PDB file of all heavy atoms in Angstrom:
ATOM      1  N   ARG A  35       8.579  -1.056  17.784  1.00 74.00           N
ATOM      2  CA  ARG A  35       8.501  -2.137  16.807  1.00 74.00           C
ATOM      3  C   ARG A  35       7.069  -2.330  16.323  1.00 74.00           C
ATOM      4  O   ARG A  35       6.837  -2.561  15.146  1.00 74.00           O
ATOM      5  CB  ARG A  35       9.052  -3.413  17.407  1.00 74.00           C
ATOM      6  CG  ARG A  35       9.137  -4.536  16.428  1.00 74.00           C
ATOM      7  CD  ARG A  35       9.680  -5.789  17.099  1.00 74.00           C
ATOM      8  NE  ARG A  35       9.791  -6.813  16.111  1.00 74.00           N
ATOM      9  CZ  ARG A  35      10.937  -7.273  15.654  1.00 74.00           C
ATOM     10  NH1 ARG A  35      12.051  -6.798  16.107  1.00 74.00           N
ATOM     11  NH2 ARG A  35      10.955  -8.217  14.755  1.00 74.00           N
ATOM     12  N   ARG A  36       6.130  -2.212  17.221  1.00 75.00           N
ATOM     13  CA  ARG A  36       4.714  -2.373  16.853  1.00 75.00           C
ATOM     14  C   ARG A  36       4.270  -1.269  15.898  1.00 75.00           C
ATOM     15  O   ARG A  36       3.597  -1.522  14.908  1.00 75.00           O
ATOM     16  CB  ARG A  36       3.855  -2.361  18.112  1.00 75.00           C
ATOM     17  CG  ARG A  36       2.424  -2.769  17.855  1.00 75.00           C
ATOM     18  CD  ARG A  36       1.655  -2.868  19.123  1.00 75.00           C
ATOM     19  NE  ARG A  36       2.261  -3.887  19.974  1.00 75.00           N
ATOM     20  CZ  ARG A  36       2.012  -4.032  21.256  1.00 75.00           C
ATOM     21  NH1 ARG A  36       1.188  -3.219  21.865  1.00 75.00           N
ATOM     22  NH2 ARG A  36       2.588  -4.974  21.957  1.00 75.00           N
ATOM     23  N   GLU A  37       4.672  -0.029  16.186  1.00 78.00           N
ATOM     24  CA  GLU A  37       4.335   1.085  15.303  1.00 78.00           C
ATOM     25  C   GLU A  37       5.005   0.938  13.941  1.00 78.00           C
ATOM     26  O   GLU A  37       4.395   1.177  12.908  1.00 78.00           O
ATOM     27  CB  GLU A  37       4.765   2.404  15.937  1.00 78.00           C
ATOM     28  CG  GLU A  37       4.014   2.749  17.187  1.00 78.00           C
ATOM     29  CD  GLU A  37       4.656   3.884  17.939  1.00 78.00           C
ATOM     30  OE1 GLU A  37       5.686   4.402  17.488  1.00 78.00           O
ATOM     31  OE2 GLU A  37       4.118   4.262  18.989  1.00 78.00           O
ATOM     32  N   SER A  38       6.260   0.536  13.964  1.00 81.00           N
ATOM     33  CA  SER A  38       7.003   0.357  12.709  1.00 81.00           C
ATOM     34  C   SER A  38       6.400  -0.762  11.878  1.00 81.00           C
ATOM     35  O   SER A  38       6.267  -0.645  10.666  1.00 81.00           O
ATOM     36  CB  SER A  38       8.465   0.040  13.005  1.00 81.00           C
ATOM     37  OG  SER A  38       9.062   1.069  13.723  1.00 81.00           O
ATOM     38  N   LEU A  39       6.040  -1.848  12.539  1.00 84.00           N
ATOM     39  CA  LEU A  39       5.450  -2.975  11.829  1.00 84.00           C
ATOM     40  C   LEU A  39       4.110  -2.587  11.207  1.00 84.00           C
ATOM     41  O   LEU A  39       3.814  -2.983  10.080  1.00 84.00           O
ATOM     42  CB  LEU A  39       5.273  -4.154  12.783  1.00 84.00           C
ATOM     43  CG  LEU A  39       4.861  -5.472  12.168  1.00 84.00           C
ATOM     44  CD1 LEU A  39       5.911  -5.941  11.163  1.00 84.00           C
ATOM     45  CD2 LEU A  39       4.663  -6.507  13.249  1.00 84.00           C
ATOM     46  N   PHE A  40       3.323  -1.787  11.918  1.00 86.00           N
ATOM     47  CA  PHE A  40       2.050  -1.316  11.376  1.00 86.00           C
ATOM     48  C   PHE A  40       2.271  -0.510  10.103  1.00 86.00           C
ATOM     49  O   PHE A  40       1.598  -0.724   9.089  1.00 86.00           O
ATOM     50  CB  PHE A  40       1.303  -0.478  12.419  1.00 86.00           C
ATOM     51  CG  PHE A  40       0.073   0.180  11.872  1.00 86.00           C
ATOM     52  CD1 PHE A  40      -1.053  -0.567  11.583  1.00 86.00           C
ATOM     53  CD2 PHE A  40       0.046   1.541  11.630  1.00 86.00           C
ATOM     54  CE1 PHE A  40      -2.190   0.030  11.062  1.00 86.00           C
ATOM     55  CE2 PHE A  40      -1.079   2.151  11.118  1.00 86.00           C
ATOM     56  CZ  PHE A  40      -2.201   1.394  10.842  1.00 86.00           C
ATOM     57  N   LEU A  41       3.229   0.416  10.124  1.00 85.00           N
ATOM     58  CA  LEU A  41       3.494   1.239   8.943  1.00 85.00           C
ATOM     59  C   LEU A  41       4.008   0.406   7.776  1.00 85.00           C
ATOM     60  O   LEU A  41       3.606   0.607   6.630  1.00 85.00           O
ATOM     61  CB  LEU A  41       4.504   2.331   9.285  1.00 85.00           C
ATOM     62  CG  LEU A  41       3.992   3.456  10.162  1.00 85.00           C
ATOM     63  CD1 LEU A  41       5.141   4.360  10.574  1.00 85.00           C
ATOM     64  CD2 LEU A  41       2.921   4.242   9.451  1.00 85.00           C
ATOM     65  N   LEU A  42       4.903  -0.532   8.066  1.00 86.00           N
ATOM     66  CA  LEU A  42       5.447  -1.358   6.993  1.00 86.00           C
ATOM     67  C   LEU A  42       4.394  -2.272   6.384  1.00 86.00           C
ATOM     68  O   LEU A  42       4.355  -2.470   5.166  1.00 86.00           O
ATOM     69  CB  LEU A  42       6.634  -2.174   7.512  1.00 86.00           C
ATOM     70  CG  LEU A  42       7.880  -1.364   7.855  1.00 86.00           C
ATOM     71  CD1 LEU A  42       8.931  -2.247   8.514  1.00 86.00           C
ATOM     72  CD2 LEU A  42       8.438  -0.695   6.626  1.00 86.00           C
ATOM     73  N   ILE A  43       3.521  -2.823   7.210  1.00 88.00           N
ATOM     74  CA  ILE A  43       2.446  -3.685   6.692  1.00 88.00           C
ATOM     75  C   ILE A  43       1.447  -2.853   5.897  1.00 88.00           C
ATOM     76  O   ILE A  43       1.000  -3.276   4.825  1.00 88.00           O
ATOM     77  CB  ILE A  43       1.756  -4.447   7.837  1.00 88.00           C
ATOM     78  CG1 ILE A  43       2.712  -5.518   8.374  1.00 88.00           C
ATOM     79  CG2 ILE A  43       0.462  -5.084   7.381  1.00 88.00           C
ATOM     80  CD1 ILE A  43       2.199  -6.232   9.605  1.00 88.00           C
ATOM     81  N   TRP A  44       1.089  -1.684   6.399  1.00 88.00           N
ATOM     82  CA  TRP A  44       0.170  -0.793   5.696  1.00 88.00           C
ATOM     83  C   TRP A  44       0.699  -0.475   4.310  1.00 88.00           C
ATOM     84  O   TRP A  44      -0.007  -0.615   3.309  1.00 88.00           O
ATOM     85  CB  TRP A  44      -0.012   0.468   6.523  1.00 88.00           C
ATOM     86  CG  TRP A  44      -0.893   1.542   5.957  1.00 88.00           C
ATOM     87  CD1 TRP A  44      -1.709   1.467   4.871  1.00 88.00           C
ATOM     88  CD2 TRP A  44      -1.044   2.858   6.475  1.00 88.00           C
ATOM     89  NE1 TRP A  44      -2.359   2.666   4.676  1.00 88.00           N
ATOM     90  CE2 TRP A  44      -1.971   3.537   5.649  1.00 88.00           C
ATOM     91  CE3 TRP A  44      -0.499   3.530   7.552  1.00 88.00           C
ATOM     92  CZ2 TRP A  44      -2.335   4.847   5.885  1.00 88.00           C
ATOM     93  CZ3 TRP A  44      -0.886   4.838   7.777  1.00 88.00           C
ATOM     94  CH2 TRP A  44      -1.790   5.475   6.950  1.00 88.00           C
ATOM     95  N   PHE A  45       1.946  -0.065   4.222  1.00 87.00           N
ATOM     96  CA  PHE A  45       2.535   0.278   2.934  1.00 87.00           C
ATOM     97  C   PHE A  45       2.713  -0.968   2.067  1.00 87.00           C
ATOM     98  O   PHE A  45       2.377  -0.971   0.880  1.00 87.00           O
ATOM     99  CB  PHE A  45       3.888   0.967   3.137  1.00 87.00           C
ATOM    100  CG  PHE A  45       4.510   1.422   1.859  1.00 87.00           C
ATOM    101  CD1 PHE A  45       4.122   2.617   1.289  1.00 87.00           C
ATOM    102  CD2 PHE A  45       5.456   0.654   1.218  1.00 87.00           C
ATOM    103  CE1 PHE A  45       4.682   3.043   0.098  1.00 87.00           C
ATOM    104  CE2 PHE A  45       6.025   1.071   0.031  1.00 87.00           C
ATOM    105  CZ  PHE A  45       5.636   2.264  -0.531  1.00 87.00           C
ATOM    106  N   GLY A  46       3.223  -2.042   2.638  1.00 88.00           N
ATOM    107  CA  GLY A  46       3.538  -3.246   1.871  1.00 88.00           C
ATOM    108  C   GLY A  46       2.327  -3.939   1.273  1.00 88.00           C
ATOM    109  O   GLY A  46       2.357  -4.357   0.112  1.00 88.00           O
ATOM    110  N   VAL A  47       1.260  -4.062   2.040  1.00 90.00           N
ATOM    111  CA  VAL A  47       0.065  -4.758   1.547  1.00 90.00           C
ATOM    112  C   VAL A  47      -0.556  -4.003   0.369  1.00 90.00           C
ATOM    113  O   VAL A  47      -0.875  -4.596  -0.666  1.00 90.00           O
ATOM    114  CB  VAL A  47      -0.958  -4.951   2.687  1.00 90.00           C
ATOM    115  CG1 VAL A  47      -2.309  -5.365   2.156  1.00 90.00           C
ATOM    116  CG2 VAL A  47      -0.444  -5.969   3.680  1.00 90.00           C
ATOM    117  N   ILE A  48      -0.701  -2.712   0.521  1.00 88.00           N
ATOM    118  CA  ILE A  48      -1.306  -1.929  -0.569  1.00 88.00           C
ATOM    119  C   ILE A  48      -0.397  -1.929  -1.798  1.00 88.00           C
ATOM    120  O   ILE A  48      -0.860  -2.094  -2.928  1.00 88.00           O
ATOM    121  CB  ILE A  48      -1.612  -0.497  -0.103  1.00 88.00           C
ATOM    122  CG1 ILE A  48      -2.682  -0.539   0.991  1.00 88.00           C
ATOM    123  CG2 ILE A  48      -2.074   0.373  -1.255  1.00 88.00           C
ATOM    124  CD1 ILE A  48      -2.912   0.787   1.685  1.00 88.00           C
ATOM    125  N   PHE A  49       0.903  -1.769  -1.573  1.00 86.00           N
ATOM    126  CA  PHE A  49       1.840  -1.737  -2.689  1.00 86.00           C
ATOM    127  C   PHE A  49       1.860  -3.071  -3.441  1.00 86.00           C
ATOM    128  O   PHE A  49       1.789  -3.112  -4.669  1.00 86.00           O
ATOM    129  CB  PHE A  49       3.248  -1.407  -2.177  1.00 86.00           C
ATOM    130  CG  PHE A  49       4.260  -1.299  -3.259  1.00 86.00           C
ATOM    131  CD1 PHE A  49       4.315  -0.177  -4.067  1.00 86.00           C
ATOM    132  CD2 PHE A  49       5.174  -2.325  -3.484  1.00 86.00           C
ATOM    133  CE1 PHE A  49       5.256  -0.078  -5.077  1.00 86.00           C
ATOM    134  CE2 PHE A  49       6.111  -2.236  -4.483  1.00 86.00           C
ATOM    135  CZ  PHE A  49       6.155  -1.110  -5.285  1.00 86.00           C
ATOM    136  N   LEU A  50       1.927  -4.178  -2.704  1.00 88.00           N
ATOM    137  CA  LEU A  50       1.948  -5.489  -3.361  1.00 88.00           C
ATOM    138  C   LEU A  50       0.624  -5.810  -4.047  1.00 88.00           C
ATOM    139  O   LEU A  50       0.615  -6.382  -5.143  1.00 88.00           O
ATOM    140  CB  LEU A  50       2.297  -6.581  -2.350  1.00 88.00           C
ATOM    141  CG  LEU A  50       3.736  -6.569  -1.864  1.00 88.00           C
ATOM    142  CD1 LEU A  50       3.922  -7.614  -0.780  1.00 88.00           C
ATOM    143  CD2 LEU A  50       4.694  -6.806  -3.015  1.00 88.00           C
ATOM    144  N   PHE A  51      -0.489  -5.462  -3.421  1.00 86.00           N
ATOM    145  CA  PHE A  51      -1.785  -5.742  -4.024  1.00 86.00           C
ATOM    146  C   PHE A  51      -1.928  -5.047  -5.368  1.00 86.00           C
ATOM    147  O   PHE A  51      -2.329  -5.656  -6.358  1.00 86.00           O
ATOM    148  CB  PHE A  51      -2.913  -5.318  -3.081  1.00 86.00           C
ATOM    149  CG  PHE A  51      -4.277  -5.548  -3.660  1.00 86.00           C
ATOM    150  CD1 PHE A  51      -4.820  -6.828  -3.693  1.00 86.00           C
ATOM    151  CD2 PHE A  51      -5.009  -4.497  -4.181  1.00 86.00           C
ATOM    152  CE1 PHE A  51      -6.083  -7.047  -4.228  1.00 86.00           C
ATOM    153  CE2 PHE A  51      -6.261  -4.702  -4.717  1.00 86.00           C
ATOM    154  CZ  PHE A  51      -6.794  -5.981  -4.739  1.00 86.00           C
ATOM    155  N   PHE A  52      -1.596  -3.777  -5.420  1.00 83.00           N
ATOM    156  CA  PHE A  52      -1.761  -3.043  -6.673  1.00 83.00           C
ATOM    157  C   PHE A  52      -0.619  -3.282  -7.652  1.00 83.00           C
ATOM    158  O   PHE A  52      -0.752  -2.964  -8.831  1.00 83.00           O
ATOM    159  CB  PHE A  52      -1.957  -1.557  -6.406  1.00 83.00           C
ATOM    160  CG  PHE A  52      -3.322  -1.264  -5.843  1.00 83.00           C
ATOM    161  CD1 PHE A  52      -3.469  -0.797  -4.559  1.00 83.00           C
ATOM    162  CD2 PHE A  52      -4.454  -1.500  -6.598  1.00 83.00           C
ATOM    163  CE1 PHE A  52      -4.723  -0.548  -4.041  1.00 83.00           C
ATOM    164  CE2 PHE A  52      -5.712  -1.256  -6.089  1.00 83.00           C
ATOM    165  CZ  PHE A  52      -5.840  -0.778  -4.802  1.00 83.00           C
ATOM    166  N   THR A  53       0.490  -3.828  -7.179  1.00 82.00           N
ATOM    167  CA  THR A  53       1.550  -4.222  -8.105  1.00 82.00           C
ATOM    168  C   THR A  53       1.116  -5.433  -8.917  1.00 82.00           C
ATOM    169  O   THR A  53       1.378  -5.518 -10.121  1.00 82.00           O
ATOM    170  CB  THR A  53       2.841  -4.550  -7.341  1.00 82.00           C
ATOM    171  OG1 THR A  53       3.279  -3.370  -6.668  1.00 82.00           O
ATOM    172  CG2 THR A  53       3.938  -5.016  -8.271  1.00 82.00           C
ATOM    173  N   PHE A  54       0.432  -6.373  -8.265  1.00 83.00           N
ATOM    174  CA  PHE A  54       0.028  -7.595  -8.950  1.00 83.00           C
ATOM    175  C   PHE A  54      -1.340  -7.513  -9.623  1.00 83.00           C
ATOM    176  O   PHE A  54      -1.722  -8.431 -10.350  1.00 83.00           O
ATOM    177  CB  PHE A  54       0.051  -8.778  -7.985  1.00 83.00           C
ATOM    178  CG  PHE A  54       1.434  -9.114  -7.515  1.00 83.00           C
ATOM    179  CD1 PHE A  54       1.757  -9.081  -6.178  1.00 83.00           C
ATOM    180  CD2 PHE A  54       2.427  -9.442  -8.425  1.00 83.00           C
ATOM    181  CE1 PHE A  54       3.027  -9.384  -5.748  1.00 83.00           C
ATOM    182  CE2 PHE A  54       3.706  -9.742  -8.007  1.00 83.00           C
ATOM    183  CZ  PHE A  54       4.006  -9.713  -6.655  1.00 83.00           C
ATOM    184  N   SER A  55      -2.085  -6.454  -9.407  1.00 80.00           N
ATOM    185  CA  SER A  55      -3.395  -6.350 -10.046  1.00 80.00           C
ATOM    186  C   SER A  55      -3.236  -5.964 -11.510  1.00 80.00           C
ATOM    187  O   SER A  55      -2.293  -5.291 -11.900  1.00 80.00           O
ATOM    188  CB  SER A  55      -4.267  -5.324  -9.315  1.00 80.00           C
ATOM    189  OG  SER A  55      -3.762  -4.040  -9.513  1.00 80.00           O
ATOM    190  N   LYS A  56      -4.181  -6.389 -12.302  1.00 79.00           N
ATOM    191  CA  LYS A  56      -4.106  -6.133 -13.745  1.00 79.00           C
ATOM    192  C   LYS A  56      -4.577  -4.727 -14.099  1.00 79.00           C
ATOM    193  O   LYS A  56      -4.046  -4.104 -15.002  1.00 79.00           O
ATOM    194  CB  LYS A  56      -4.930  -7.169 -14.502  1.00 79.00           C
ATOM    195  CG  LYS A  56      -4.334  -8.535 -14.393  1.00 79.00           C
ATOM    196  CD  LYS A  56      -5.110  -9.543 -15.166  1.00 79.00           C
ATOM    197  CE  LYS A  56      -4.460 -10.906 -14.986  1.00 79.00           C
ATOM    198  NZ  LYS A  56      -5.042 -11.913 -15.813  1.00 79.00           N
ATOM    199  N   GLY A  57      -5.581  -4.235 -13.438  1.00 75.00           N
ATOM    200  CA  GLY A  57      -6.080  -2.890 -13.720  1.00 75.00           C
ATOM    201  C   GLY A  57      -5.340  -1.870 -12.870  1.00 75.00           C
ATOM    202  O   GLY A  57      -5.514  -1.822 -11.667  1.00 75.00           O
ATOM    203  N   LYS A  58      -4.516  -1.075 -13.484  1.00 70.00           N
ATOM    204  CA  LYS A  58      -3.721  -0.102 -12.741  1.00 70.00           C
ATOM    205  C   LYS A  58      -4.185   1.316 -13.064  1.00 70.00           C
ATOM    206  O   LYS A  58      -4.265   1.702 -14.207  1.00 70.00           O
ATOM    207  CB  LYS A  58      -2.249  -0.249 -13.106  1.00 70.00           C
ATOM    208  CG  LYS A  58      -1.651  -1.556 -12.654  1.00 70.00           C
ATOM    209  CD  LYS A  58      -0.180  -1.553 -12.943  1.00 70.00           C
ATOM    210  CE  LYS A  58       0.590  -2.739 -12.524  1.00 70.00           C
ATOM    211  NZ  LYS A  58       0.078  -3.939 -12.180  1.00 70.00           N
ATOM    212  N   ARG A  59      -4.471   2.058 -12.015  1.00 74.00           N
ATOM    213  CA  ARG A  59      -4.798   3.476 -12.136  1.00 74.00           C
ATOM    214  C   ARG A  59      -4.091   4.203 -11.010  1.00 74.00           C
ATOM    215  O   ARG A  59      -3.938   3.678  -9.916  1.00 74.00           O
ATOM    216  CB  ARG A  59      -6.298   3.707 -12.013  1.00 74.00           C
ATOM    217  CG  ARG A  59      -7.072   3.201 -13.211  1.00 74.00           C
ATOM    218  CD  ARG A  59      -8.530   3.550 -13.116  1.00 74.00           C
ATOM    219  NE  ARG A  59      -8.700   4.993 -13.021  1.00 74.00           N
ATOM    220  CZ  ARG A  59      -9.801   5.561 -12.577  1.00 74.00           C
ATOM    221  NH1 ARG A  59     -10.815   4.817 -12.188  1.00 74.00           N
ATOM    222  NH2 ARG A  59      -9.904   6.868 -12.514  1.00 74.00           N
ATOM    223  N   GLU A  60      -3.684   5.424 -11.265  1.00 72.00           N
ATOM    224  CA  GLU A  60      -2.981   6.190 -10.247  1.00 72.00           C
ATOM    225  C   GLU A  60      -3.873   6.474  -9.044  1.00 72.00           C
ATOM    226  O   GLU A  60      -3.400   6.601  -7.923  1.00 72.00           O
ATOM    227  CB  GLU A  60      -2.460   7.506 -10.836  1.00 72.00           C
ATOM    228  CG  GLU A  60      -1.372   7.329 -11.872  1.00 72.00           C
ATOM    229  CD  GLU A  60      -1.929   7.019 -13.259  1.00 72.00           C
ATOM    230  OE1 GLU A  60      -3.125   7.259 -13.514  1.00 72.00           O
ATOM    231  OE2 GLU A  60      -1.149   6.517 -14.078  1.00 72.00           O
ATOM    232  N   LEU A  61      -5.150   6.557  -9.269  1.00 74.00           N
ATOM    233  CA  LEU A  61      -6.100   6.835  -8.206  1.00 74.00           C
ATOM    234  C   LEU A  61      -6.083   5.744  -7.138  1.00 74.00           C
ATOM    235  O   LEU A  61      -6.259   6.018  -5.955  1.00 74.00           O
ATOM    236  CB  LEU A  61      -7.510   6.980  -8.798  1.00 74.00           C
ATOM    237  CG  LEU A  61      -8.640   7.282  -7.842  1.00 74.00           C
ATOM    238  CD1 LEU A  61      -8.439   8.662  -7.235  1.00 74.00           C
ATOM    239  CD2 LEU A  61      -9.965   7.208  -8.565  1.00 74.00           C
ATOM    240  N   TYR A  62      -5.836   4.506  -7.544  1.00 75.00           N
ATOM    241  CA  TYR A  62      -5.835   3.392  -6.605  1.00 75.00           C
ATOM    242  C   TYR A  62      -4.638   3.443  -5.649  1.00 75.00           C
ATOM    243  O   TYR A  62      -4.670   2.803  -4.602  1.00 75.00           O
ATOM    244  CB  TYR A  62      -5.822   2.064  -7.342  1.00 75.00           C
ATOM    245  CG  TYR A  62      -7.053   1.809  -8.162  1.00 75.00           C
ATOM    246  CD1 TYR A  62      -6.996   1.010  -9.288  1.00 75.00           C
ATOM    247  CD2 TYR A  62      -8.278   2.360  -7.825  1.00 75.00           C
ATOM    248  CE1 TYR A  62      -8.121   0.765 -10.057  1.00 75.00           C
ATOM    249  CE2 TYR A  62      -9.410   2.117  -8.582  1.00 75.00           C
ATOM    250  CZ  TYR A  62      -9.321   1.326  -9.698  1.00 75.00           C
ATOM    251  OH  TYR A  62     -10.431   1.084 -10.448  1.00 75.00           O
ATOM    252  N   LEU A  63      -3.604   4.163  -5.994  1.00 77.00           N
ATOM    253  CA  LEU A  63      -2.419   4.228  -5.142  1.00 77.00           C
ATOM    254  C   LEU A  63      -2.509   5.309  -4.072  1.00 77.00           C
ATOM    255  O   LEU A  63      -1.582   5.475  -3.287  1.00 77.00           O
ATOM    256  CB  LEU A  63      -1.173   4.450  -5.995  1.00 77.00           C
ATOM    257  CG  LEU A  63      -0.845   3.316  -6.961  1.00 77.00           C
ATOM    258  CD1 LEU A  63       0.377   3.681  -7.767  1.00 77.00           C
ATOM    259  CD2 LEU A  63      -0.625   2.019  -6.221  1.00 77.00           C
ATOM    260  N   LEU A  64      -3.591   6.045  -4.015  1.00 84.00           N
ATOM    261  CA  LEU A  64      -3.736   7.111  -3.025  1.00 84.00           C
ATOM    262  C   LEU A  64      -3.598   6.629  -1.577  1.00 84.00           C
ATOM    263  O   LEU A  64      -3.048   7.354  -0.752  1.00 84.00           O
ATOM    264  CB  LEU A  64      -5.054   7.848  -3.213  1.00 84.00           C
ATOM    265  CG  LEU A  64      -5.095   8.828  -4.376  1.00 84.00           C
ATOM    266  CD1 LEU A  64      -6.482   9.446  -4.475  1.00 84.00           C
ATOM    267  CD2 LEU A  64      -4.054   9.902  -4.221  1.00 84.00           C
ATOM    268  N   PRO A  65      -4.055   5.425  -1.200  1.00 84.00           N
ATOM    269  CA  PRO A  65      -3.852   4.992   0.191  1.00 84.00           C
ATOM    270  C   PRO A  65      -2.388   4.769   0.556  1.00 84.00           C
ATOM    271  O   PRO A  65      -2.066   4.652   1.735  1.00 84.00           O
ATOM    272  CB  PRO A  65      -4.629   3.675   0.285  1.00 84.00           C
ATOM    273  CG  PRO A  65      -5.621   3.732  -0.797  1.00 84.00           C
ATOM    274  CD  PRO A  65      -4.995   4.526  -1.896  1.00 84.00           C
ATOM    275  N   LEU A  66      -1.495   4.721  -0.413  1.00 86.00           N
ATOM    276  CA  LEU A  66      -0.067   4.570  -0.111  1.00 86.00           C
ATOM    277  C   LEU A  66       0.546   5.850   0.428  1.00 86.00           C
ATOM    278  O   LEU A  66       1.491   5.805   1.213  1.00 86.00           O
ATOM    279  CB  LEU A  66       0.706   4.184  -1.381  1.00 86.00           C
ATOM    280  CG  LEU A  66       0.721   2.741  -1.780  1.00 86.00           C
ATOM    281  CD1 LEU A  66       1.501   2.580  -3.066  1.00 86.00           C
ATOM    282  CD2 LEU A  66       1.322   1.892  -0.705  1.00 86.00           C
ATOM    283  N   TYR A  67       0.063   6.990   0.004  1.00 87.00           N
ATOM    284  CA  TYR A  67       0.703   8.257   0.335  1.00 87.00           C
ATOM    285  C   TYR A  67       0.718   8.586   1.827  1.00 87.00           C
ATOM    286  O   TYR A  67       1.734   9.065   2.326  1.00 87.00           O
ATOM    287  CB  TYR A  67       0.094   9.402  -0.468  1.00 87.00           C
ATOM    288  CG  TYR A  67       0.380   9.281  -1.940  1.00 87.00           C
ATOM    289  CD1 TYR A  67      -0.619   9.421  -2.878  1.00 87.00           C
ATOM    290  CD2 TYR A  67       1.663   9.002  -2.403  1.00 87.00           C
ATOM    291  CE1 TYR A  67      -0.351   9.302  -4.237  1.00 87.00           C
ATOM    292  CE2 TYR A  67       1.940   8.885  -3.747  1.00 87.00           C
ATOM    293  CZ  TYR A  67       0.923   9.038  -4.664  1.00 87.00           C
ATOM    294  OH  TYR A  67       1.192   8.912  -5.989  1.00 87.00           O
ATOM    295  N   PRO A  68      -0.358   8.365   2.573  1.00 89.00           N
ATOM    296  CA  PRO A  68      -0.259   8.639   4.013  1.00 89.00           C
ATOM    297  C   PRO A  68       0.776   7.762   4.719  1.00 89.00           C
ATOM    298  O   PRO A  68       1.544   8.249   5.541  1.00 89.00           O
ATOM    299  CB  PRO A  68      -1.665   8.363   4.547  1.00 89.00           C
ATOM    300  CG  PRO A  68      -2.554   8.474   3.383  1.00 89.00           C
ATOM    301  CD  PRO A  68      -1.744   8.041   2.190  1.00 89.00           C
ATOM    302  N   ALA A  69       0.806   6.478   4.381  1.00 87.00           N
ATOM    303  CA  ALA A  69       1.791   5.591   5.003  1.00 87.00           C
ATOM    304  C   ALA A  69       3.208   6.007   4.622  1.00 87.00           C
ATOM    305  O   ALA A  69       4.102   6.052   5.477  1.00 87.00           O
ATOM    306  CB  ALA A  69       1.539   4.140   4.577  1.00 87.00           C
TER     307      ALA A  69
END
């Protein structure tokens, strides 16, 4: 559960942050790919 929660938070925080940001570039989504 701890490992799963880490992966879900890692993916979710980055995804939500860049979903709501006004300046969108594909380069900013690179930290999503490892998760």
Side-chain angles (χ1 to χ4, degrees):
R35 186 181 182 110
R36 190 175 299 165
E37 294 168 0
S38 300
L39 189 61
F40 173 72
L41 288 172
L42 291 173
I43 289 174
W44 178 10
F45 184 82
V47 167
I48 295 171
F49 182 76
L50 289 175
F51 179 77
F52 287 114
T53 297
F54 294 120
S55 69
K56 293 182 181 187
K58 293 185 178 16
R59 289 185 59 199
E60 293 83 18
L61 180 66
Y62 295 152
L63 296 178
L64 284 178
L66 277 179
Y67 294 132

